[in-house]
Amino acid sequence: MRLLAALAALMLFGVVVAIGGGFYVLWHFGRGLPEYTQLADYQPAVVTRIHAGDGRLMAEYATEKRVFVPLDAIPKRVVKAFLAAEDKNFYSHPGIDVFALARAVVQNISMLANNPNRRPIGASTITQQVARNFLLTDELSLDRKVKEAILSFRIEQVLTKDRILELYLNEINLGFRAYGVGAAALNYFDKSLDDLTLGEAAYLAALPKAPNRYNPLRNLGAAQGRRDWVLDQMVEAGYIKPEEAVQAKAETITVRRRDDQDIVRGADYFAEEVRRELVQRYGEKAVYAGGLSVRTTLNPHLQVIADRALRHGLVTYDRRHGWRGAIQKIELGAGWEQRLAQVPAPAGTTDWQMAAVLSTDREGATVGFVDGNKGRLPLSELRWARENRPEQRLGPPIERADQVVKAGDVVLVEQVEGHYGLRQVPAISGALVALDPHTGRVLAMSGGWSFDQSQFNRATQAQRQPGSSFKPFVYMAALDQGYTPSTIVLDSPVTLPQGPGLPNWTPRNYSGDSLGPVPMRVGIEKSRNQMTVRIGLDVGINRVAEYAAAFGIHPNLPRHMSMVLGAGETTVLRHTAAYGMIVNGGKKIVPTLIDRVDDRNGKTLFRHDTRPCANCNNVAWQRQAAPIIPDTRPQIEDPLTAYQMVSMLQGAVERGTGASIRELGRPLAGKTGTSNDANDTWFMGFSPDLTVGVFVGFDQPKGLGDRETGSSVCVPIFKEFMAEALKDTPKTPFRIPQGIRLVRTNPETGRLARAGDKVIMDAFRPGSEPTTSDAVESEDTGTGSVSPVPARAPSSSGGGLY
């Protein structure tokens, strides 16, 4: 009895010590543990996706590539695969699987006895993995394992099993930069979870232990072996039948990258501009972890055309100004291929190839490539490459290949028709913007030669002088004050004081001549600076500044008369939108690259089109008429004035500085622009439903060279873009607003057309058109300004800014 009493006392003491020890362990390791209740409201970082206007993916932004998928939306086969592989008893244990833990201890003792250097086998439950992934670190220590166990018990008290499993399946790192099963299905197989085969689901479940080890691109055998083990576990758990496992094991794991047809390539400037706007609007965290869904305005077809037209135009200009020399020089002889391979390619080389010049002769040059292959650079492909000299001057004509390249030179070449052509990355850059003039939706944006070369977006970030492309806004101010397209304005030198201590300013026409008294229309068509200054003096610089602000070109144009010739800086995007407001009849538009932004739950955070439509939502179509959506765009210019300017700009294309565009045989209008010293060249133009702005200039402003203007540099880019963009579309005429009077006039005199005259259909307000015997005259007031004196006074209901 004494012995039994002693044993009982010893056992009681042991129980007390064990309980006390357990409480001590819980107290010691439970101090300072992370707050586990936060998991109840946890929202994992989710990738933000940017989509083009046609729904295709453009870009993704994330710290972790994750697509959050609710548990009830994850297919059962995927869930069962992970349970079979990671935690068969998940729905029955309290956070720790004691039996699995005991089994792992026995296996580790046996394994470590034979190989002490092997990593111990784990027995972590899914709950423990959630605790480790969300609240702890991956440190391999007893201290971390005890804390993991304590947290697992606590998590099971506050979260349901389904919530724990949902967190796990959306948080786990599965390699290939994929976090969670949704992102992994896309990254490995280019599929949604619903489309995964049994074998593919089992493979994903094989990854949590070692995603890099089971990468099928590097170790297909190990990957398929691990997948087959998961399938066996699913059979053992009763989740699938043995014959299903056999069939799934017969599949070869095939990684399928996303189809190029489903991804928009090359719209880097556009996507980066969208990213910047999102960060400015919602912050970095929302963009990189918030799971935003962004539908942009991008038209991928027009974007390809825009990039190609701009690049072609930049290369064409660059070749006109000669060859700047080889990239580098290497030693020829044995091993030249390796030495060539070590030469870094210049940024922006695109699909051009690096080559070494092996020899030259009278007919051209022989070049070699990294792989040892050789090709010919004929002399015909070298004739453009005259030496580039200071101030855009050129060296002597090319008669021999060694005037351009020498043996050992490293150059860029492109294969053309059985031989190679010499190439160089243009030193100049530019931008092209195409937008819908009725909505402001930006359909294409090219911000430079190459995003890899420079991420500076010349369409939105470069502030440049628009030159003569600003003139239409000066002329519209005059039209609203009583001028007509036939008003005679004196094209002759005018001298203005600039202030104390400053020399007088005498603007000249680009051509250097003066036409004398000519119709106002000629000032736009022929881009006459002297006429524009006279009109600006009559209108007043304050009024011109109001128009610049109303059309979004410049919020506060400096009050200097040189501003009427486009000396005030603006961006290509703002300037293109301003031209859109001319062709759309004077309606205010705000340029946008984003149609809609939704959060991770589908709630719309932003919508560009804010027009009210009470009958547009949750309406079943029963062949009723479509709802009428009101036009809420502010009217900033009289539609009649806007059309008069469209007509005058159409004249610039048909008879003026943009005349080469006439070859397209379409209703097109536009205006060239060239700033002082040809630092900036522009062409702004439009069809009835598409507005396009083109700018070309050096990033560090300097002259483009003699005879280089908007006509020679930018018009060809606009023409190439429009020819392709409008191909196979109807030749829609410009829309004429109600109230416009079309009159046959002589564009050289402004008078009514007579037999034998050149004839155009000019646009007038009712009561302002010329009559048979009348001609619109003008008089010089002596200050250089012009007072229009029409034989018939303008209508008292003349236009103006609304």
Side-chain angles (χ1 to χ4, degrees):
M1 293 296 294
R2 288 196 195 96
L3 180 60
L4 288 175
L7 289 172
L10 186 61
M11 290 177 63
L12 179 62
F13 176 76
V15 169
V16 171
V17 170
I19 293 173
F23 276 113
Y24 174 77
V25 168
L26 291 175
W27 172 79
H28 176 74
F29 289 100
R31 291 180 303 169
L33 283 179
E35 182 54 57
Y36 58 91
T37 56
Q38 64 181 293
L39 295 180
D41 300 317
Y42 176 75
Q43 288 189 322
V46 179
V47 62
T48 287
R49 287 181 161 177
I50 314 296
H51 298 271
D54 62 2
R56 287 191 288 160
L57 184 67
M58 282 176 58
E60 293 180 322
Y61 299 109
T63 51
E64 297 176 349
K65 288 283 185 74
R66 179 184 291 105
V67 179
F68 185 83
V69 186
L71 184 63
D72 57 7
I74 300 176
K76 296 299 182 185
R77 72 166 69 92
V78 176
V79 174
K80 290 177 179 178
F82 276 86
L83 290 176
E86 295 295 317
D87 194 351
K88 292 188 184 72
N89 302 320
F90 173 70
Y91 279 98
S92 59
H93 63 62
I96 296 177
D97 190 338
V98 177
F99 297 106
L101 182 61
R103 184 169 60 250
V105 169
V106 172
Q107 290 176 343
N108 282 328
I109 292 174
S110 174
M111 180 186 69
L112 293 174
N114 297 321
N115 187 356
N117 295 323
R118 285 197 61 180
R119 184 184 177 95
I121 296 172
S124 295
T125 64
I126 284 177
T127 309
Q128 287 176 278
Q129 293 183 59
V130 168
R132 179 171 67 246
N133 292 338
F134 285 85
L135 303 173
L136 298 172
T137 68
D138 284 329
E139 176 193 8
L140 188 62
S141 67
L142 179 62
D143 182 82
R144 194 265 292 166
K145 292 297 290 185
V146 173
K147 291 181 178 180
E148 184 181 288
I150 295 172
L151 283 172
S152 297
F153 281 120
R154 292 180 178 180
I155 289 171
E156 293 268 353
Q157 304 306 308
V158 297
L159 299 181
T160 66
K161 287 285 189 179
D162 283 351
R163 176 59 175 165
I164 295 170
L165 184 58
E166 181 180 75
L167 290 173
Y168 171 76
L169 291 175
N170 281 285
E171 180 71 17
I172 191 73
N173 178 11
L174 297 174
F176 261 31
R177 299 182 66 212
Y179 289 80
V181 292
L186 288 171
N187 287 11
Y188 282 98
F189 304 116
D190 190 25
K191 292 182 178 181
S192 67
L193 289 171
D194 290 328
D195 294 330
L196 293 177
T197 66
L198 175 60
E200 290 167 342
Y203 171 70
L204 295 185
L207 291 170
K209 287 291 188 287
N212 290 330
R213 185 190 310 165
Y214 301 124
N215 184 327
L217 297 180
R218 291 199 297 263
N219 198 344
L220 181 61
Q224 294 193 157
R226 180 68 180 178
R227 178 207 57 189
D228 294 350
W229 176 84
V230 174
L231 290 168
D232 291 339
Q233 298 301 307
M234 295 179 74
V235 172
E236 182 181 315
Y239 294 149
I240 60 173
K241 297 176 181 179
E243 52 269 29
E244 291 179 294
V246 171
Q247 185 177 357
K249 288 179 182 180
E251 297 177 9
T252 300
I253 298 174
T254 304
V255 174
R256 297 180 185 87
R257 297 295 190 181
R258 291 182 187 172
D259 192 335
D260 281 346
Q261 293 183 350
D262 297 329
I263 300 178
V264 176
R265 307 284 185 188
D268 299 319
Y269 284 108
F270 195 107
E272 174 61 14
E273 191 64 26
V274 170
R275 187 200 66 83
R276 278 197 291 261
E277 183 174 339
L278 292 173
V279 169
Q280 183 179 19
R281 190 184 293 267
Y282 304 110
E284 292 266 358
K285 184 176 180 181
V287 173
Y288 286 94
L292 302 177
S293 177
V294 183
R295 176 62 66 94
T296 71
T297 60
L298 181 79
N299 181 315
H301 173 63
L302 293 184
Q303 183 64 49
V304 170
I305 299 171
D307 289 337
R308 185 166 57 234
L310 179 63
R311 291 169 64 86
H312 185 208
L314 296 178
V315 166
T316 300
Y317 167 85
D318 192 64
R319 287 164 70 100
R320 282 203 300 268
H321 293 271
W323 171 244
R324 293 186 299 278
I327 298 169
Q328 195 171 310
K329 200 171 187 68
I330 63 171
E331 182 182 346
L332 298 179
W336 65 264
E337 298 95 332
Q338 290 75 25
R339 289 190 286 276
L340 174 62
Q342 293 173 0
V343 178
T349 55
T350 63
D351 53 356
W352 297 339
Q353 295 177 263
M354 297 269 284
V357 178
L358 303 180
S359 64
T360 62
D361 53 55
R362 294 190 62 83
E363 304 300 324
T366 299
V367 295
F369 301 94
V370 172
D371 59 6
N373 287 327
K374 298 178 182 179
R376 284 290 291 175
L377 268 178
L379 189 62
S380 60
E381 290 289 344
L382 299 173
R383 291 198 183 278
W384 68 267
R386 298 166 65 180
E387 181 187 358
N388 174 270
R389 293 180 174 178
E391 299 180 4
Q392 304 297 343
R393 293 181 293 109
L394 292 175
I398 302 302
E399 301 295 339
R400 304 184 318 276
D402 61 6
Q403 289 179 265
V404 181
V405 294
K406 292 179 171 54
D409 283 351
V410 177
V411 297
L412 291 171
V413 298
E414 181 181 24
Q415 190 166 13
V416 286
E417 299 178 357
H419 57 262
Y420 289 88
L422 183 66
R423 301 290 181 262
Q424 69 180 354
V425 176
I428 200 167
S429 198
L432 186 152
V433 171
L435 58 77
D436 182 335
H438 308 294
T439 63
R441 298 176 70 247
V442 178
L443 305 175
M445 173 188 288
S446 295
W449 166 260
S450 165
F451 189 77
D452 293 334
Q453 179 193 41
S454 168
Q455 297 183 16
F456 180 70
N457 190 337
R458 294 147 192 89
T460 61
Q461 294 177 297
Q463 299 280 343
R464 306 298 289 246
Q465 294 181 351
S468 295
S469 64
F470 179 73
K471 289 176 181 175
F473 305 95
V474 180
Y475 282 61
M476 281 193 293
L479 290 169
D480 285 335
Q481 291 193 8
Y483 281 69
T484 76
S486 289
T487 297
I488 301 300
V489 179
L490 188 61
D491 180 26
S492 64
V494 55
T495 299
L496 302 175
Q498 298 190 88
L502 297 174
N504 289 337
W505 179 53
T506 305
R508 300 291 185 184
N509 294 321
Y510 175 77
S511 61
D513 64 349
S514 299
L515 299 178
V518 291
M520 177 188 184
R521 165 184 285 278
V522 174
I524 283 289
E525 294 181 358
K526 305 295 185 182
S527 197
R528 311 301 288 181
N529 292 337
Q530 294 168 166
M531 292 176 65
T532 305
V533 171
R534 288 180 180 275
I535 292 172
L537 285 168
D538 194 44
V539 170
I541 189 60
N542 289 331
R543 188 68 169 157
V544 172
E546 290 177 15
Y547 277 68
F551 281 86
I553 299 170
H554 198 296
N556 187 21
L557 193 72
R559 271 40 173 193
H560 305 300
M561 193 50 63
S562 61
M563 296 297 122
V564 304
L565 298 182
E569 294 178 338
T570 189
T571 67
V572 180
L573 179 60
R574 293 206 305 263
H575 208 30
T576 307
Y579 269 72
M581 291 178 242
I582 297 174
V583 72
N584 73 13
K587 295 282 191 177
K588 180 71 174 179
I589 58 172
V590 178
T592 182
L593 284 73
I594 299 174
D595 273 336
R596 192 179 71 249
V597 179
D598 296 338
D599 68 11
R600 67 167 71 201
N601 300 313
K603 178 183 176 183
T604 298
L605 304 178
F606 167 82
R607 188 188 298 274
H608 175 66
D609 189 347
T610 58
R611 292 176 296 170
C613 183
N615 299 318
C616 287
N617 296 321
N618 302 319
V619 178
W621 186 62
Q622 297 176 344
R623 300 187 179 278
Q624 72 271 35
I628 299 175
I629 304 176
D631 184 354
T632 57
R633 296 172 298 173
Q635 188 78 47
I636 64 166
E637 177 59 288
D638 189 319
L640 304 187
T641 299
Y643 180 74
Q644 286 180 304
M645 182 49 59
V646 169
S647 175
M648 295 165 72
L649 291 171
Q650 194 172 9
V653 165
E654 294 176 352
R655 295 174 296 278
T657 54
S660 66
I661 299 168
R662 185 179 55 205
E663 298 170 5
L664 298 181
R666 286 181 167 275
L668 295 170
K671 182 72 187 73
T672 55
T674 308
S675 67
N676 281 345
D677 301 320
N679 287 349
D680 314 276
T681 59
W682 301 71
F683 187 81
M684 313 299 298
F686 45 73
S687 69
D689 299 307
L690 182 63
T691 304
V692 177
V694 180
F695 158 79
V696 173
F698 291 97
D699 287 343
Q700 296 298 321
K702 65 178 181 178
L704 272 67
D706 292 341
R707 296 182 297 280
E708 296 290 11
T709 65
S711 294
S712 64
V713 180
C714 296
V715 165
I717 298 173
F718 174 89
K719 180 181 176 181
E720 180 178 338
F721 177 84
M722 282 301 204
E724 190 68 22
L726 300 179
K727 186 171 65 175
D728 301 326
T729 62
K731 296 181 179 180
T732 306
F734 288 109
R735 299 169 183 89
I736 304 174
Q738 187 175 4
I740 278 288
R741 298 287 300 274
L742 295 178
V743 179
R744 292 162 55 90
T745 66
N746 182 330
E748 296 177 352
T749 66
R751 300 173 187 268
L752 290 177
R754 298 176 180 178
D757 283 355
K758 293 180 180 179
V759 179
I760 64 168
M761 297 297 291
D762 214 342
F764 295 89
R765 293 176 177 279
S768 70
E769 63 270 28
T771 62
T772 305
S773 58
D774 293 329
V776 183
E777 304 292 348
S778 65
E779 62 180 9
D780 193 329
T781 63
T783 62
S785 64
V786 173
S787 296
V789 188
R792 182 178 298 175
S795 169
S796 60
S797 60
L801 289 176
Y802 281 27

